[in-house]
């Protein structure tokens, strides 16, 4: 039962550079070894994740792990098209603060042959996301080209993640690769600050105040709509990190 590499999924926020010519592997002799039986390993994996998340916050260049608190996004854009609203939104120079305060509350693992299913429930008390944005929107017959800065604070982000993966071998060691990831973050409260929505400052203020009143609706639309933008990026980052993490070191040896 070789499911423990999942422990390192907490690296999911790490940006990864091209791997160095000779791959260095994550070695963590000071961490616990988990039971072989996946059904009994949840709490142990949770412990390892909660140990590694704050430890790796500054990244590890030799493992190709970039710092993830703040997590920096140079550029990301997505197309939006639904009902009365169509357009394109791009963000630049985005910084996300809060990932190192991520606490894993629950871990559930199922292993079936080489296939793995991992479910986690986690909590981030506060996240701050800011950067520059630019959009071209068509709202009914209205053309908008807002451009400015934004600063969004999220409180009590509760995240339920389901990951599907499989084991594979390389250099005589075993690793895990993810095939799919599904995340359902809910947020208790959100404060949105932005400028540049309208050229007129009073209208601008009004728009931000409306956004703050309706953030639940906005969030409910944006999250699923942007999934096809962020899900492949997450998968790529996690899988790049997992290539540096041989999993057997986390599992109790056979009697
Ligand atoms: C964003 O807003 C938060 C909370 O209001 C504030 O603490 C932080 O300094 C702001 N950051 C920037 C870059 O404006």
């Amino acid at each position: 039962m070789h499911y423990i590499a999942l422990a390192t999924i907490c690296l999911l926020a790490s940006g990864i550079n091209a791997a160095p010519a000779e791959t260095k592997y994550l070695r963590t002799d000071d961490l616990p070894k988990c039971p072989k039986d996946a059904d009994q390993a949840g709490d142990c994996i949770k412990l390892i994740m909660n140990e590694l998340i704050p430890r790796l916050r500054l990244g590890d260049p030799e493992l190709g792990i970039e710092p993830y608190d703040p997590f920096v996004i140079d550029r990301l854009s997505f197309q939006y098209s639904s009902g009365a609203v169509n357009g394109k939104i791009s963000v630049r120079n985005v910084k996300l603060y809060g990932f190192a305060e991520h606490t894993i509350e629950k871990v559930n693992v199922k292993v079936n042959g080489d296939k793995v299913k991992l479910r986690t429930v986690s909590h981030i008390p506060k996240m701050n996301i800011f950067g520059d944005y630019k959009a071209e929107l068509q709202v009914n017959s209205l053309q908008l080209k807002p451009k400015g800065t934004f600063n969004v604070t999220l409180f009590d982000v509760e995240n339920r993640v389901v990951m599907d993966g499989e084991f594979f071998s390389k250099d005589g060691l075993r690793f895990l690769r993810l095939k799919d990831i599904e995340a359902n973050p809910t947020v208790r409260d959100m404060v949105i600050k932005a400028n540049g929505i309208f050229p007129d400052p009073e209208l601008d203020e009004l728009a931000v105040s409306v956004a703050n009143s309706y953030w639940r609706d906005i969030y409910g639309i944006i999250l699923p709509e942007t999934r096809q933008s962020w899900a492949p990026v997450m998968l790529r980052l996690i899988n790049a990190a997992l290539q540096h993490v041989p999993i057997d070191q986390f599992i109790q040896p056979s009697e």
Side-chain angles (χ1 to χ4, degrees), residues 128 130 151 153 193:
N128 187 223
F130 61 85
N151 180 352
T153 311
K193 292 189 216 162

Side-chain angles (χ1 to χ4, degrees), residues 4 87 124 131 146 156 162-163 167 177 181 187 191 197 205 210 217 220 223 227 238 243:
I4 312 286
I124 304 177
D156 290 319
V162 182
M163 287 162 275
F167 298 113
R177 171 197 302 130
I181 182 166
V187 177
V191 176
I197 302 169
E205 218 172 282
V210 169
D217 300 295
L223 192 69
R227 187 178 189 275
I238 296 169
Q243 286 190 31

Side-chain angles (χ1 to χ4, degrees), residues 1 3-4 7 26-37 40-45 47-48 246-254:
M1 304 291 111
Y3 45 84
I4 312 286
L26 178 73
R27 295 282 173 204
T28 51
D29 299 333
D30 57 326
L31 292 174
K33 304 245 184 286
C34 297
K36 271 177 145 7
D37 182 354
Q40 291 166 26
D43 283 344
C44 175
I45 297 172
L47 210 115
I48 292 175
I247 54 178
D248 289 318
Q249 62 179 327
F250 295 109
I251 303 172
Q252 287 169 5
S254 301

Side-chain angles (χ1 to χ4, degrees), residues 13-15 53-54 56-59 65-74 93-101 126-131 237:
S14 359
I53 290 170
L56 293 169
R57 71 183 297 164
L58 298 176
I65 300 170
E66 284 182 19
Y68 52 80
D69 201 352
F71 181 63
V72 178
I73 301 169
D74 291 332
N93 308 318
V94 179
K95 285 193 173 144
L96 288 86
Y97 284 88
F99 276 126
E101 258 62 63
K126 186 174 158 184
M127 287 198 78
N128 187 223
I129 308 165
F130 61 85
L237 291 179

Side-chain angles (χ1 to χ4, degrees), residues 60 126 147 169:
D60 182 334
K126 186 174 158 184
K147 180 175 185 285
S169 297

Side-chain angles (χ1 to χ4, degrees), residues 120-122 157-162 181-187 219 223-224 227 230:
T120 60
V121 180
S122 61
V157 181
E158 194 82 22
N159 200 8
R160 282 165 195 276
V161 181
V162 182
I181 182 166
E182 233 177 277
N184 274 306
T186 60
V187 177
Y219 180 76
L223 192 69
R227 187 178 189 275
W230 57 258

Side-chain angles (χ1 to χ4, degrees), residues 91-222:
V91 292
R92 299 189 82 145
N93 308 318
V94 179
K95 285 193 173 144
L96 288 86
Y97 284 88
F99 276 126
E101 258 62 63
H102 205 165
T103 312
I104 310 293
E105 293 174 337
K106 225 162 148 185
V107 175
N108 177 281
V109 195
K110 292 276 174 261
V111 176
N112 186 357
D114 273 349
K115 301 259 185 291
V116 185
K117 193 181 262 301
L118 179 87
R119 290 187 176 83
T120 60
V121 180
S122 61
H123 179 253
I124 304 177
K126 186 174 158 184
M127 287 198 78
N128 187 223
I129 308 165
F130 61 85
D132 305 321
Y133 79 94
K134 202 163 96 177
E136 281 179 38
L137 297 174
Q138 174 98 32
V139 186
N140 290 322
S141 58
L142 187 66
Q143 281 269 7
L144 293 176
K145 285 197 176 179
K147 180 175 185 285
T149 62
F150 68 94
N151 180 352
V152 178
T153 311
L154 310 175
F155 297 92
D156 290 319
V157 181
E158 194 82 22
N159 200 8
R160 282 165 195 276
V161 181
V162 182
M163 287 162 275
D164 286 295
E166 64 185 20
F167 298 113
F168 71 97
S169 297
K170 188 183 60 157
D171 296 345
L173 297 165
R174 272 154 352 102
F175 299 85
L176 183 82
R177 171 197 302 130
L178 292 191
K179 294 289 198 189
D180 194 23
I181 182 166
E182 233 177 277
N184 274 306
T186 60
V187 177
R188 180 179 56 80
D189 199 10
M190 185 188 293
V191 176
I192 304 168
K193 292 189 216 162
N195 61 44
I197 302 169
F198 293 105
D200 177 69
E202 275 178 40
L203 208 52
D204 212 33
E205 218 172 282
L206 180 68
V208 171
S209 132
V210 169
N212 276 293
S213 304
Y214 290 96
W215 70 260
R216 262 174 219 285
D217 300 295
I218 300 168
Y219 180 76
I221 293 167
I222 286 181

